[in-house]
Amino acid sequence: MLWRRVVCGVVALAVATLSAAHAQLTIIPQSRINQVANPTTVGADQMVFEGEGVIEIGTVSEDLPQWSGSIGWTNKGQKPLAITRVQSTCSCVKATFGKRPIGSGERGVIEVSFVPKGRIGSVEQRLMVYTTLSDTHPTAIVHLRGRVTPSADPSGLYQHSCGPLLMMQSAVSFAATEGVQSERIAVMNGGAAPLTIGHDGRLTSPELRAYTEPQTLAPGQEGDLVIEYRPAEQSKGTPLLLYLKGLQLAPRKRQIEVILRTEE
């Protein structure tokens, strides 16, 4: 099976090669893996966190730009103790803290923020808290737990766009030898005005036509962009071009990529 990619009249062929001679295998000791997954703490009895070291964020929506909270701790040791750094298991979790040494019996606070975007489901992250007791081993491990619910705004599911027309994908493919065919692309009107989308008959190849179901998309409404392919004997071998109408965009910005599959 040969795949021919046709867009703007250009046929592109990509070939990837891999040379095994240059491949290298690095073996990581199991002890190192265990240390990363379950690091050994040093002096945990001297740094006691509230809530047994667990930060509960509850249930938050993916729409929330950022969750913020804090957790307190007490220096149970005999000497002043200062936090030197806090490392998290995810870039979605950040921590800030005062660098002033906390005296024996005194209380300190770590401020924590969490970005829920893209973290749908159960959340279980850890923060390794390093202090002046050791630079190589954390003094304590704080756990951040909760749950993230999906966004109420479905527009985030659409990764492509032609102006206000948001699309799940920006390309379709047809088999050149199978006669009349149709493909659907899930779309959404991400603009503030209704959209009536079709194909631009002046620029689009005669084998193609396009329309939306429903015919007119209200702002925020979801639907399908239906693309039909009707092979024509007289135009075999010519590029397939599809341009949408109903969008105030330059032609190149309202083009849908068409992939024609042919067998040899």
Side-chain angles (χ1 to χ4, degrees):
M1 177 77 71
L2 172 66
W3 288 73
R4 188 177 64 186
R5 181 179 294 272
V6 184
V7 54
C8 295
V10 177
V11 178
L13 177 64
V15 179
T17 62
L18 175 65
S19 174
H22 296 285
Q24 295 183 354
L25 178 63
T26 301
I27 300 176
I28 302 176
Q30 184 63 44
S31 59
R32 175 58 178 164
I33 297 175
N34 293 337
Q35 176 61 25
V36 173
N38 301 290
T40 302
T41 58
V42 173
D45 58 335
Q46 299 182 50
M47 189 179 203
V48 178
F49 279 87
E50 299 169 353
E52 298 183 348
V54 177
I55 303 173
E56 295 285 358
I57 68 172
T59 299
V60 298
S61 170
E62 191 184 15
D63 291 325
L64 184 69
Q66 179 176 285
W67 178 93
S68 297
S70 64
I71 186 169
W73 62 278
T74 302
N75 179 3
K76 295 292 186 177
Q78 300 301 314
K79 297 180 180 180
L81 187 63
I83 297 175
T84 55
R85 70 181 189 276
V86 177
Q87 294 181 345
S88 67
T89 53
C90 177
S91 60
C92 59
V93 180
K94 303 293 184 183
T96 58
F97 53 89
K99 296 183 178 181
R100 179 183 66 84
I102 302 298
S104 177
E106 294 184 350
R107 182 178 181 272
V109 176
I110 296 178
E111 303 289 339
V112 179
S113 64
F114 167 67
V115 178
K117 184 68 173 178
R119 306 291 171 180
I120 298 173
S122 297
V123 176
E124 178 68 49
Q125 302 295 342
R126 293 175 299 162
L127 294 96
M128 273 67 74
V129 183
Y130 291 81
T131 69
T132 46
L133 293 178
S134 174
D135 188 53
T136 57
H137 295 278
T139 299
I141 299 176
V142 174
H143 297 264
L144 184 141
R145 296 173 182 166
R147 186 170 184 83
V148 177
T149 57
S151 171
D153 179 8
S155 64
L157 300 174
Y158 297 86
Q159 303 300 313
H160 306 275
S161 66
C162 284
L165 183 66
L166 309 181
M167 304 181 295
M168 287 281 193
Q169 62 193 68
S170 60
V172 294
S173 66
F174 298 104
T177 59
E178 293 184 5
V180 178
Q181 302 156 70
S182 66
E183 292 287 343
R184 290 175 176 264
I185 297 177
V187 297
M188 175 181 175
N189 181 357
L195 289 177
T196 301
I197 304 297
H199 62 277
D200 189 335
R202 300 169 303 167
L203 302 173
T204 297
S205 300
E207 299 95 333
L208 300 171
R209 62 188 299 259
Y211 55 91
T212 58
E213 291 182 350
Q215 183 177 9
T216 298
L217 295 171
Q221 185 175 10
E222 297 177 276
D224 287 323
L225 174 64
V226 183
I227 301 173
E228 295 182 350
Y229 169 60
R230 299 174 180 271
E233 186 70 28
Q234 66 273 19
S235 59
K236 280 186 177 180
T238 59
L240 290 179
L241 304 175
L242 173 59
Y243 294 88
L244 301 179
K245 71 173 182 180
L247 300 166
Q248 301 301 313
L249 300 170
R252 63 182 179 83
K253 293 186 178 181
R254 51 186 171 91
Q255 182 182 7
I256 300 297
E257 184 177 6
V258 177
I259 300 170
L260 190 62
R261 308 190 305 271
T262 59
E263 293 184 356
E264 285 192 345

